[in-house]
Amino acid sequence: MDSTKWGSLATACGTGEALPAALRLLTDPDPVIRKSALHDALGPVTHQNSIYEATVPVALYVAAILNHPAITADDDNPDAETQNRPTLVQLLDWLGDTAYDANDECVAIDESLYGEGIHDERMHAFRNVRPTIYPAVHRLLDHDNADVRHTALVTAIPLAEHPLLAHHQADLADHARRLLASSTDRHHRDRVLDALKAWGHNTSCLEDASDIAAREHYARLRAARASWGSNWTGGGSYSNDPPF
């Protein structure tokens, strides 16, 4: 924290000068203060799914505090917006979403659309620190709270794309099977099924009726998107698969 020159790092809102104060509040005992800090500390460094200069030091700080007592304690403050989700889960969600924004698929799509070299040092910097972030997430894969361990798994999957972490994929596949045997969370199921398929596993025996229905729904959305693209003269295109 103290060794980072935050004022010289770009964010979506200018520089990162205000980030240290917001980051320190992430470990405040008051869940209301932590909620505000989540917005102030994380929003400026991942606006519109972009990686900024300040994203990497923020991600490293977030990984370092995942075992802080204030973070590991459940939030008792009722909040419909966050659905009573613990700060720990929200931090894991942010790390996972950021890792997916920088994963191999996103890089490949961008390069196919805009050419190799489209990504600058900010994207490469985040991809390079994945091995540093991963251990903090891995420790939570066996957490007592199902939401924590499932979110940790979904976060670990894109991090494990780094060549130094590829050997963890077999262990993550075992965790994925356990998630599929117990979770009804659509987002979590989609993420782990996609990962298992990408790692060469046959998922037909792991899918339930909701997975099949979701897969068919996404296929219809992709077909509709293709139809829109062929009939639209504006020349634009989408880079992300549904759900949008």
Side-chain angles (χ1 to χ4, degrees):
M1 174 80 79
D2 294 335
S3 62
T4 300
K5 297 179 180 178
W6 295 98
S8 67
L9 301 179
T11 71
C13 310
T15 74
E17 185 176 1
L19 289 175
L23 289 169
R24 289 189 179 94
L25 292 178
L26 289 175
T27 56
D28 192 278
D30 188 337
V32 176
I33 293 176
R34 293 203 302 274
K35 177 190 171 185
S36 178
L38 284 165
H39 176 270
D40 294 340
L42 308 182
V45 295
T46 46
H47 180 65
Q48 295 183 340
N49 306 99
S50 297
I51 305 294
Y52 297 87
E53 288 179 341
T55 303
V56 167
V58 169
L60 292 173
Y61 181 82
V62 167
I65 64 172
L66 290 179
N67 65 346
H68 190 281
I71 300 298
T72 56
D74 286 344
D75 290 351
D76 295 322
N77 182 55
D79 189 324
E81 182 180 345
T82 60
Q83 298 179 340
N84 298 316
R85 301 177 76 220
T87 302
L88 176 57
V89 172
Q90 295 185 70
L91 291 175
L92 285 169
D93 257 343
W94 178 82
L95 280 174
D97 287 345
T98 306
Y100 275 106
D101 289 336
N103 73 356
D104 294 348
E105 181 181 9
C106 286
V107 169
I109 290 173
D110 286 347
E111 290 183 348
S112 69
L113 291 172
Y114 307 110
E116 293 186 9
I118 183 64
H119 294 294
D120 58 20
E121 65 276 5
R122 295 171 297 177
M123 175 71 80
H124 295 300
F126 183 86
R127 287 167 62 81
N128 288 339
V129 299
R130 288 177 292 180
T132 304
I133 296 171
Y134 185 85
V137 176
H138 183 269
R139 286 193 293 268
L140 299 171
L141 292 176
D142 294 311
H143 196 279
D144 291 339
N145 183 299
D147 196 15
V148 171
R149 64 175 179 268
H150 291 170
T151 308
L153 172 60
V154 170
T155 300
I157 287 170
L159 295 172
E161 288 184 347
H162 192 284
L164 295 179
L165 301 173
H167 64 282
H168 287 283
Q169 291 175 359
D171 176 54
L172 294 179
D174 290 337
H175 284 282
R177 294 186 186 94
R178 289 194 285 273
L179 181 151
L180 291 170
S182 60
S183 175
T184 59
D185 186 290
R186 180 75 267 144
H187 174 70
H188 288 170
R189 295 184 69 87
D190 285 343
R191 290 299 197 189
V192 301
L193 283 168
D194 286 346
L196 289 171
K197 293 171 185 175
W199 296 337
H201 297 271
N202 185 343
T203 62
S204 58
C205 62
L206 301 173
E207 292 182 326
D208 61 18
S210 70
D211 298 321
I212 296 170
R215 175 156 42 82
E216 293 174 348
H217 175 64
Y218 300 155
R220 290 192 296 271
L221 288 176
R222 281 191 290 270
R225 183 187 66 179
S227 175
W228 298 335
S230 63
N231 294 325
W232 186 43
T233 59
S237 62
Y238 296 98
S239 63
N240 296 323
D241 283 336
F244 306 116

